[in-house]
Amino acid sequence: MEFRLIDRIRERTAQGREDVKLGIGDDAAVVAPPVGQELAIAIDTMVEGVHFPHGTAAADIGWKSLAVNLSDLAAMGASPAWALLALTLPTKPAEQLHAFIDGYAEGFAQLAQPHRLALIGGDTTRGALAISVAVHGFVPPGKALTRAGARAGDVVLVTGTLGDAAAGLHLLQRGARLDEGDGRVAYLIERLHRPTPRLSVGLALRDRASACIDISDGLLADLGHICEESAVGAEIEAALLPCSPMLMASFDDLAVRDFALSGGDDYELCFTVPPALVADVQTDLARLGCGATRIGRIIEGAGVRVRDAQGQWLEAAQRGWDHFA
Ligand code: ADP
Ligand code: MG
């Protein structure tokens, strides 16, 4: 039975890569790492009811479980190559398990294929539904983007728009229907279930961004990690936060700001760039089809401060911490 499940996964995620000498089916995978490159490696676990709501479509789980890992590679400026998948599946009738696996593998493959990522192995066990994906990517020696290089004076930028995924989760939890709001609800929930890892942006930022992180826990928390690791502070202008028209049409201004500052799961990149490079970086990213917006700057000190549109500093309680804690 387990073997049939594994076969279904293998068939649906097949991806020819020269550097995979032995894929799914033996005791271990064998790969040929490219000479002269470093490996970037990440793993993330998603548990039903914790990291995705009960009832999430299998294909969405497949996409997202890979997307969150590819987002980590993007934040490092690495290009993806291989993945491992550890699946813990509840005891259910075979047809239900097969349907789940087929959906999962389809969503996974939809994201893996355009990036030529090969699933090379994994493990399958019984228990409450949980999924761990590990990814491996390549980066030239010493070129990995880290959280640690931001300097006072650098400009803080983010890709795409912020707050959509948290708004989507909020709507889902309140029982919103996908056909409500002229497609806005569907858009926001899609942003929750199907985040786009910004891999081409990560590559373009090598040698130019001084620090980079992907936004999984919310802008304030994740920019806070850059500040800690870089031993600097940051000032953000709330008025500059990029938000989608769908988000802005669905909530009042304060809720939008809270979602953008503190909502998780967007998987956009937040990065810092020396002022002289900002214009070039923005032009190049726009050419890649993923705009980046300047939202503030790095200062000496510690912590992240947010200024509202009137120039007042927000108190911690006004920054939406509580809503998403
Ligand atoms: P072993 O007992 O030697 O660890 P398994 O029976 O767990 O072998 O796995 C058999 C093969 O199937 C291995 O190559 C393993 O990497 C692969 N595999 C198992 N589960 C998965 C999965 N969920 N996704 C991808 N490959 C898997
Ligand atoms: Mg095993």
Side-chain angles (χ1 to χ4, degrees), residues 89-156:
L89 299 171
T91 305
K92 281 194 178 161
E95 316 83 76
Q96 282 181 38
L97 284 180
H98 288 173
F100 178 84
I101 286 297
D102 293 356
Y104 179 90
E106 182 198 325
F108 186 101
Q110 279 173 348
L111 182 57
Q113 260 153 22
H115 295 294
R116 298 205 51 245
L117 175 117
L119 181 64
I120 59 172
D123 194 23
T124 307
T125 55
R126 293 272 178 251
L129 180 60
I131 296 122
S132 296
V133 175
V135 289
H136 310 73
F138 309 143
V139 64
K143 298 295 185 193
L145 296 168
T146 71
R147 302 173 176 188
R151 317 226 352 209
D154 286 352
V155 175
V156 180

Side-chain angles (χ1 to χ4, degrees), residues 2-3 6 9 23-27 85-87 119-124:
E2 199 163 287
F3 288 107
I6 296 168
I9 295 173
I24 294 172
D26 217 304
D27 291 312
L85 167 62
L87 270 179
L119 181 64
I120 59 172
D123 194 23
T124 307

Side-chain angles (χ1 to χ4, degrees), residues 8-325:
R8 295 178 96 94
I9 295 173
R10 175 168 37 187
E11 281 162 25
R12 286 164 177 76
T13 60
Q15 173 74 63
R17 280 187 70 106
E18 293 264 294
D19 56 10
V20 178
K21 302 303 167 188
L22 204 48
I24 294 172
D26 217 304
D27 291 312
V30 178
V31 292
V35 175
Q37 297 277 303
E38 291 178 345
L39 281 180
I41 304 173
I43 184 166
D44 260 308
T45 297
M46 295 184 19
V47 177
E48 182 172 44
V50 179
H51 302 97
F52 57 90
H54 290 273
T56 302
D60 289 338
I61 299 171
W63 174 287
K64 189 163 179 178
S65 64
L66 178 58
V68 301
N69 279 282
L70 292 185
S71 179
D72 282 324
L73 292 185
M76 301 302 289
S79 45
W82 314 308
L84 296 170
L85 167 62
L87 270 179
T88 307
L89 299 171
T91 305
K92 281 194 178 161
E95 316 83 76
Q96 282 181 38
L97 284 180
H98 288 173
F100 178 84
I101 286 297
D102 293 356
Y104 179 90
E106 182 198 325
F108 186 101
Q110 279 173 348
L111 182 57
Q113 260 153 22
H115 295 294
R116 298 205 51 245
L117 175 117
L119 181 64
I120 59 172
D123 194 23
T124 307
T125 55
R126 293 272 178 251
L129 180 60
I131 296 122
S132 296
V133 175
V135 289
H136 310 73
F138 309 143
V139 64
K143 298 295 185 193
L145 296 168
T146 71
R147 302 173 176 188
R151 317 226 352 209
D154 286 352
V155 175
V156 180
L157 299 100
V158 293
T159 58
T161 58
L162 299 177
D164 294 328
L169 180 62
H170 176 85
L171 291 167
L172 207 57
Q173 286 170 339
R174 303 184 91 211
R177 291 196 329 271
L178 286 180
D179 58 1
E180 278 176 64
D182 295 328
R184 293 198 308 267
V185 170
Y187 175 85
L188 295 171
I189 292 176
E190 175 94 355
R191 288 273 289 161
L192 172 70
H193 288 323
R194 299 249 171 173
T196 306
R198 302 299 189 185
L199 285 156
S200 58
V201 173
L203 298 190
L205 292 178
R206 281 182 195 162
D207 288 322
R208 299 198 287 180
S210 50
C212 185
I213 193 168
D214 69 319
I215 305 178
S216 52
D217 298 334
L219 173 68
L220 290 177
D222 289 315
L223 178 55
H225 295 316
I226 285 185
C227 289
E228 277 162 40
E229 295 304 315
S230 302
V232 294
E235 290 179 353
I236 297 304
E237 309 290 339
L240 298 181
L241 296 173
C243 294
S244 70
M246 284 64 87
L247 178 63
M248 291 190 287
S250 305
F251 295 91
D252 67 36
D253 291 353
L254 280 185
V256 167
R257 190 178 76 190
D258 284 353
F259 283 128
L261 286 173
S262 303
D265 269 15
D266 279 321
Y267 298 97
E268 298 294 347
L269 297 182
C270 174
F271 56 97
T272 58
V273 175
L277 301 181
V278 170
D280 274 359
V281 165
Q282 283 188 300
T283 306
D284 288 358
L285 297 195
R287 209 172 286 144
L288 292 173
C290 177
T293 307
R294 42 194 309 167
I295 59 167
R297 62 194 190 101
I298 297 295
I299 56 170
E300 284 173 16
V304 182
R305 299 207 293 170
V306 183
R307 203 172 4 223
D308 70 12
Q310 287 72 46
Q312 301 292 315
W313 296 110
L314 299 190
E315 303 293 330
Q318 293 174 286
R319 311 200 308 184
W321 299 115
D322 304 343
H323 292 12
F324 304 102

